[in-house]
Structure formats: C-alpha cells, structure tokens
C-alpha cells in the first residue's frame, strides 16, 4: 500500500506515518522512484502505535514493545517498565473518573437547583 492509502485506512496523517518511520516504529519499502510501500500489516500496526501513544508511552518504549511483539519475548526490564506505565494509566483513569463525577454533580445541580440556589436559567 502507498502512504496515502495507509493514512486513510488507519485514520492518521501522512505526516504521522513519516514520523513513525523516523522513530523506527514503522517500516516501508521504497520503489525505485522513492515512493513508500507498506505491507498489509501497516494499518493494524499504526493503530497499535496510536494506542500506545494515547496511553502516554514515549517512542522509546513503543519501539521496544513493537520489537517484543515481533520477537515473541519481553525482556524483564521492559516488563517492569510496562507494569509501571500501567500503574500510571490506572491513576489517570481514577483521576478522570473523579473529574467526571464532579462534572455530573455540577450538571445535576444546574439542572435541578436546590431551594437555596440563586442560579437563574
């Protein structure tokens, strides 16, 4: 697949794909004219890269995770780092849930103000 096709199917920009290549997260073959050609595995790999970035992992760790998936092994040091990242993500989830709960209370109080509320709609 050409770069534009991968970008469309993966829902990312062409610039993002070039960045992933620069970070050694995604590989493409080159035609004699210099055009990038990606394998069919590129789209799911881009989705995984996006998920790992969304989880807050740096490129260095994303690269290691992708290498482990290819090799089928995870070095103990990387496993420790991934477990620490998971703890960090769990804390982010807890923080977001607390924010959501506060927003729910504000919305409920706004929609159904108590008798002492001076809120006017």
């Amino acid at each position: 697949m050409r770069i534009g096709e991968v970008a469309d199917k993966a829902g990312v920009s062409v610039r993002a794909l070039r960045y992933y290549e620069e970070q050694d997260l995604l590989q493409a073959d080159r035609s004699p004219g210099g055009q990038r050609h990606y394998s069919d595995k590129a789209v799911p790999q881009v989705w995984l890269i996006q998920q790992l970035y969304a989880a807050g992992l740096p490129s260095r760790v994303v690269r290691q995770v992708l290498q482990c998936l290819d090799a089928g092994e995870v070095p103990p040091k990387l496993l420790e780092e991934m477990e620490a990242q998971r703890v960090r993500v769990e804390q982010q989830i807890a923080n977001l849930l607390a924010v959501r709960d506060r927003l729910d209370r504000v919305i409920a109080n706004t929609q159904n103000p108590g008798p002492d509320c001076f809120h006017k709609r």
Side-chain angles (χ1 to χ4, degrees):
M1 281 186 279
R2 293 177 60 174
I3 193 167
E5 186 178 358
V6 174
D8 286 342
K9 287 184 177 185
V12 299
S13 67
V14 168
R15 184 174 183 184
L17 296 177
R18 289 184 186 128
Y19 175 77
Y20 298 158
E21 278 190 64
E22 289 171 11
Q23 297 299 309
D24 199 27
L25 305 175
L26 187 65
Q27 288 74 40
D29 294 324
R30 296 284 186 145
S31 71
Q35 293 179 333
R36 292 171 172 88
H37 292 277
Y38 296 90
S39 75
D40 291 337
K41 293 188 273 182
V43 173
Q45 186 165 357
V46 169
W47 289 337
L48 176 59
I49 292 167
Q50 291 278 295
Q51 290 174 325
L52 295 171
Y53 273 138
L57 300 178
S59 295
R60 170 186 57 80
V61 175
V62 173
R63 186 177 317 105
Q64 292 173 333
V65 169
L66 294 174
Q67 290 168 350
C68 290
L69 291 175
D70 289 340
E73 302 178 20
V74 179
K77 186 174 180 174
L78 178 60
L79 183 58
E80 289 173 16
E81 185 161 3
M82 295 301 298
E83 288 171 345
Q85 292 291 342
R86 188 180 192 289
V87 168
R88 184 188 54 75
V89 168
E90 287 289 338
Q91 185 59 53
Q92 286 178 322
I93 291 169
N95 292 341
L96 287 171
L97 289 172
V99 169
R100 184 200 60 195
D101 291 345
R102 281 188 227 120
L103 286 172
D104 285 346
R105 286 192 300 274
V106 169
I107 292 167
N109 287 336
T110 301
Q111 291 174 337
N112 301 306
D116 297 333
C117 182
F118 296 105
H119 170 76
K120 294 182 182 179
R121 288 181 120 191

